Amino acid sequence: MNLILFGPPGVGKGTQALRLAAAYDLLHISTGDMLRAAIAEGSPLGRTAQKFVESGGLVPDDIIIGLVREVLERLPEEKKGFLLDGFPRTLEQARALDELFRELGIADVRIVMLTAPEHELIDRMLRRGIEQNRKDDSAETIRHRLEVYSAQTEPVKAYYEKSRGVKMADGLGAVDEVTMRIEREIGKP
Ligand code: AMP
């Protein structure tokens, strides 16, 4: 089984992705983590991505699609599948991903969308900004990231609703409770 964990910034995708990847033995693919690592390293990818990530915008589709392609083409055999966290974030990325799945013969992909009210997302990101020192979790950048989400990422939900279907899970409440809700949607590991 392969999973796409989808939802607005601050909804808890990263936290849930780590738990689900461990429980279902999936490779956790977080484009945000990959970009942050590249920025910390100062690699060419990091230098290109930095201004987009720190301003709360999106890294250009061709760069991010190339990154995901490299990972999906070399999936470790010992894992039972993969979990995409933070990708796709635009319709172009979703279409490219479908094409990549076709090319690589990847069929069993389930999409889970986590939801939470906007004020909760903002509170969580502000807290994370302090705890993890994330530059893109400042008040102004958070507002921009939420706008980018509504304009560019939200349409991906409708795209998947028409094709693969989307399982919804409430992201409010204790971390364990949210994990259990997702497990109920996709089936126990
Ligand atoms: P995240 O950790 O998923 O919230 O991602 C942090 C930042 O990395 C985002 O605000 C974007 O600037 C960038 N990023 C992560 N994933 C993508 C993606 N799929 N497409 C474009 N930019 C991305």
Side-chain angles (χ1 to χ4, degrees):
M1 175 178 65
N2 305 294
L3 282 181
I4 296 176
L5 200 54
F6 185 74
V11 79
K13 291 189 297 294
T15 304
Q16 293 302 326
L18 286 174
R19 297 165 69 92
L20 295 165
Y24 292 81
D25 199 14
L26 305 175
L27 176 72
H28 177 206
I29 307 170
S30 159
T31 44
D33 285 351
M34 288 161 77
L35 294 169
R36 279 184 290 277
I39 292 169
E41 253 172 48
S43 69
L45 167 68
R47 288 199 297 275
T48 310
Q50 188 159 17
K51 61 178 183 297
F52 299 105
V53 173
E54 289 182 357
S55 68
L58 293 182
V59 172
D61 284 331
D62 55 339
I63 296 178
I64 207 89
I65 290 165
L67 208 60
V68 171
R69 168 183 277 278
E70 275 178 32
V71 181
L72 291 184
E73 281 178 344
R74 290 181 192 76
L75 285 174
E77 288 194 358
E78 65 274 15
K79 291 281 177 195
K80 297 209 175 94
F82 57 81
L83 186 164
L84 277 169
D85 160 12
F87 182 95
R89 255 178 160 100
T90 64
L91 280 174
E92 183 163 344
Q93 292 177 18
R95 292 193 187 107
L97 187 62
D98 271 344
E99 185 53 42
L100 202 51
F101 287 160
R102 256 192 301 278
E103 224 179 88
L104 300 174
I106 295 169
D108 183 2
V109 184
R110 301 174 200 187
I111 296 136
V112 177
M113 176 164 187
L114 278 176
T115 59
E118 189 167 293
H119 65 85
E120 178 72 21
L121 302 174
I122 295 171
D123 282 356
R124 287 185 187 183
M125 284 190 273
L126 286 173
R127 243 180 290 139
R128 183 173 64 183
I130 295 164
E131 286 164 10
Q132 298 178 11
N133 194 25
R134 259 181 74 160
K135 278 197 187 147
D136 59 342
D137 281 339
S138 67
E140 195 187 323
T141 312
I142 287 171
R143 202 169 318 113
H144 182 49
R145 289 170 67 203
L146 289 168
E147 283 163 8
V148 167
Y149 177 79
S150 316
Q152 311 219 51
T153 310
E154 186 96 59
V156 175
K157 181 179 174 231
Y159 174 86
Y160 281 133
E161 274 170 342
K162 280 191 226 125
S163 54
R164 300 175 187 275
V166 179
K167 314 250 186 217
M168 304 294 290
D170 182 354
L172 273 189
V175 172
D176 276 347
E177 180 59 37
V178 177
T179 309
M180 279 191 290
R181 283 181 204 135
I182 299 173
E183 289 181 356
R184 272 201 294 274
E185 289 298 323
I186 57 179
K188 289 252 176 250

